[in-house]
Amino acid sequence: MNLYNIKHPTEQVSFAQAVRQGLGKDQGLFFPETIPHLNNIDELLALPLVERSQKILGALIGDEIPTDKLNAMIENAFTFPAPVAKVADNIYALELFHGPTLAFKDFGGRFMAQALATVRGDGKITILTATSGDTGAAVAHAFYGLENIEVVILYPKGKISPLQEKLFCTLGGNIRTVAINADFDACQALVKQAFDDETLRQTIGLNSANSINISRLLAQVCYYFEAAAQLTAEQRQNLVVSVPSGNFGNLTAGLIAKTLGLPIKRFIASTNANDTVPRYLQTGEWQPHATVATLSNAMDVSRPNNWPRVEELFKRNGWSLSDLGSGALNDAQTETALKAQYAQGYLCEPHGAIAYQVLSEQLQAGETGLFLCTAHPAKFKESVERILDIELPLPEALDKHNKLPLLSDEMEADFVALRAYLLK
Ligand SMILES: *Cc1c(COP(=O)(O)O)cnc(C)c1O
C-alpha cells in the first residue's frame, strides 16, 4: 500500500511507514494512493465479520504485510460483535460499543496497536495522543502491557465524564495519563507541537495513535460492511448513514467503504453545537468557533483534523460536497432526541441520539436509515440517567475500573512542561 501526504503529495510512504509515523511533513495527513474497487460485494457480505475484514483489509493494504500476519492482527483486534438493532420504521442502529472500553474506538485502537506491534522497527516507541473522551480509553486498553511501547494520553481536565476518566486513568504500567488545564483543542495543539519537535520525536520514538493514524481508519471501514451485511439486499439499495462526528475519522472510514464499492446512497455528518462542518457545507465558509462543552463531549471539536481526508476523497471520486448531508443539534435538542428514542424502546446516549435525530429529520421515503451508536449508554451514565430519569446499572467492564484510584498527572497547557515530562 502506498500513501501520500495530502499537504505534500510528493512525500510518499508505505503502510508500515505511515503507521509508524502517524503524520507527514507539516502535520500533513497520509492518504492511500489508490483504493481498489471490489466487485464481489455480495460475496463479502455473506462472510462473518473477521473473515470478511481480512479480505477487505487485505485488498486495501496489499502484500506489504504477509496474509497470515494480517489475518492474525485482525483476529486479535476484532474480538467482539457489531450488531444492528431496529429502532423505528426504516431506521436501524449500528451498535459499535461492545468492545472492552464500550466505544467504537476499540475497533481502530486495537487494530492500530496490532499494526504497530507488527511493523515497528527497533528502539523505543512512545504513543502520544490527545483525547476528548473515548480515544484515550481505547488506546490505553489496546496498548496496555505491550512490550517497549510507552503510552502518554492528554485530556482536558474536568471536561470528560468521571467514568470515562476512570476507564483509562487507572491502568498504570506502560500507560501514563495527563489532565491538562485547558480544552481539547489545546491538548491537540500540544500533541501537534510535540510532533513538530524533531529532537523529541527521534529521542522517544514519538507516534500518534488518535484518529489521524491511517490504520485506525482502515479498521473502521470494516464495520460499515458489517452493518450492510445485517440488512436485506432491498434495504441496502437506498441506504443513508448518519455518523455522529467530532474529528471526522468515522465519516472518513465510511466514505472509504463507499469508495470500495459498498452501496451507501449518502452520508449525513451529524454534530453537536460544535458545528464547523455543517456551517461550512451550507455557506462554503470554513469558520471554526471556539469549542463549546456539550453533552456529547467526544464530539466537542471545532477544528476536525480528518476533514482534509474527507475533501480529498470527494475530490478524487468526483463526488460533490453538496451530496453530503449534515445537521447539528444543541444540548436541548439532544435531550429531546434521547427521550424520543427511549419512548420508542431504544436506550441510547447523547452521541448516538444526535445521529438518530438528524437522520430521522432528513430520511426520505423509500430510504433505509442507519445511524452509528458510538458509545454504550452507561459511558454517559450521569447525563443519560438525568435526562431519562432512570437508573443505569454499570456494565462490569466499567464497574471494575470505577473502583480503582486515578493515577493521572496534572499540567498546564504548556509545551515546555510537556516536553520535560516526555523526556523524563
Ligand atoms: C470519538 C467519538 C465520536 C466522534 O468520532 P470521530 O471519528 O472523531 O468523528 C463520536 N462519538 C463518540 C462516543 C466518540 O468517542
Side-chain angles (χ1 to χ4, degrees):
M1 175 180 224
N2 289 319
L3 301 102
Y4 61 93
N5 176 343
I6 291 179
K7 270 195 190 159
H8 297 279
T10 50
E11 183 185 4
Q12 303 197 350
V13 294
S14 64
F15 174 71
Q17 274 173 294
V19 168
R20 282 195 295 261
Q21 237 173 283
L23 282 165
K25 204 167 80 180
D26 289 338
Q27 297 146 14
L29 302 167
F30 288 124
F31 204 72
E33 201 171 82
T34 54
I35 295 171
H37 190 86
L38 307 175
N39 297 312
N40 56 341
I41 298 289
D42 286 341
E43 267 168 54
L44 284 173
L45 293 181
L47 297 173
L49 171 66
V50 169
E51 211 178 310
R52 180 192 320 114
S53 303
Q54 290 168 337
K55 295 212 183 322
I56 294 168
L57 293 176
L60 269 168
I61 295 170
D63 54 11
E64 189 184 327
I65 295 178
T67 307
D68 52 340
K69 260 199 185 158
L70 181 65
N71 287 353
M73 282 159 54
I74 294 163
E75 240 178 85
N76 292 336
F78 295 178
T79 50
F80 48 92
V84 167
K86 182 166 179 162
V87 174
D89 268 352
N90 294 330
I91 297 193
Y92 296 82
L94 173 62
E95 296 186 344
L96 298 170
F97 52 74
H98 297 281
T101 71
L102 308 178
F104 83 99
K105 292 193 174 77
D106 282 328
F107 280 96
R110 289 170 69 81
F111 183 70
M112 152 95 197
Q114 292 292 321
L116 197 62
T118 303
V119 304
R120 63 171 303 164
D122 303 329
K124 183 176 167 172
I125 292 185
T126 303
I127 308 290
L128 175 65
T129 188
T131 184
S132 56
D134 283 341
T135 336
V139 167
H141 283 262
F143 284 96
Y144 181 57
L146 287 188
E147 267 173 44
N148 291 323
I149 300 186
E150 280 281 320
V151 177
V152 178
I153 301 170
L154 312 184
Y155 63 98
K157 182 174 158 63
K159 295 201 171 73
I160 70 175
S161 89
L163 267 172
Q164 276 180 324
E165 191 175 16
K166 281 282 188 176
L167 190 51
F168 72 97
C169 302
T170 53
L171 288 168
N174 63 330
I175 313 295
R176 285 194 285 170
T177 53
V178 189
I180 302 285
N181 277 314
D183 65 12
F184 172 67
D185 286 336
C187 296
Q188 199 155 259
L190 284 172
V191 169
K192 285 193 169 172
Q193 250 181 305
F195 276 91
D196 274 349
D197 186 327
E198 198 56 40
T199 318
L200 182 66
R201 204 163 147 164
Q202 297 293 336
T203 313
I204 62 173
L206 258 195
N207 193 294
S208 77
N210 62 11
S211 55
I212 53 189
N213 194 290
I214 193 70
S215 62
R216 299 177 51 91
L217 296 186
L218 299 186
Q220 290 176 250
V221 168
C222 299
Y223 55 65
Y224 286 90
F225 282 79
E226 177 64 6
Q230 292 174 61
L231 299 171
T232 64
E234 197 191 330
Q235 289 167 331
R236 289 201 290 269
Q237 281 190 348
N238 283 301
L239 185 58
V240 178
V241 181
S242 174
V243 185
S245 297
N247 264 321
F248 283 76
N250 213 349
L251 181 68
T252 307
L255 293 165
I256 294 175
K258 183 175 161 84
T259 308
L260 283 164
L262 188 68
I264 294 174
K265 186 175 167 189
R266 65 192 157 86
F267 285 92
I268 299 173
S270 304
T271 73
N272 59 28
N274 298 288
D275 58 350
T276 308
V277 167
R279 282 187 291 110
Y280 172 65
L281 291 173
Q282 267 154 28
T283 65
E285 283 173 46
W286 187 261
Q287 281 178 331
H289 297 159
T291 310
V292 295
T294 72
L295 286 171
S296 48
N297 62 41
M299 308 199 301
D300 290 351
V301 181
S302 54
R303 298 172 189 273
N305 57 18
N306 271 299
W307 186 253
R309 283 177 168 145
V310 172
E311 291 215 339
E312 187 77 357
L313 262 176
F314 271 83
K315 198 169 70 191
R316 268 175 38 177
N317 285 324
W319 298 340
S320 165
L321 272 180
S322 59
D323 293 332
L324 178 59
S326 71
L329 259 58
N330 62 29
D331 276 356
Q333 293 166 319
T334 305
E335 292 198 12
T336 306
L338 192 69
K339 285 181 193 154
Q341 278 178 305
Y342 192 60
Q344 223 140 5
Y346 190 72
L347 175 63
C348 203
E349 53 69 51
H351 306 77
I354 289 176
Y356 163 80
Q357 185 60 30
V358 176
L359 176 67
S360 52
E361 283 167 15
Q362 298 187 8
L363 200 65
Q364 288 161 19
E367 292 177 336
T368 298
L370 179 85
F371 67 98
L372 273 46
C373 288
T374 43
H376 191 291
K379 289 199 86 168
F380 297 90
K381 187 174 155 66
E382 288 88 352
S383 338
V384 173
E385 287 187 333
R386 176 185 58 76
I387 296 163
L388 299 179
D389 196 19
I390 57 169
E391 255 185 59
L392 273 183
L394 267 195
E396 206 216 321
L398 282 182
D399 193 42
K400 201 172 69 195
H401 291 282
N402 201 29
K403 294 185 174 120
L404 299 171
L406 288 175
L407 302 172
S408 295
D409 296 304
E410 220 181 294
M411 203 180 283
E412 298 305 313
D414 170 13
F415 181 63
V416 177
L418 176 67
R419 194 175 193 280
Y421 181 85
L422 289 171
L423 287 166
K424 199 163 58 186

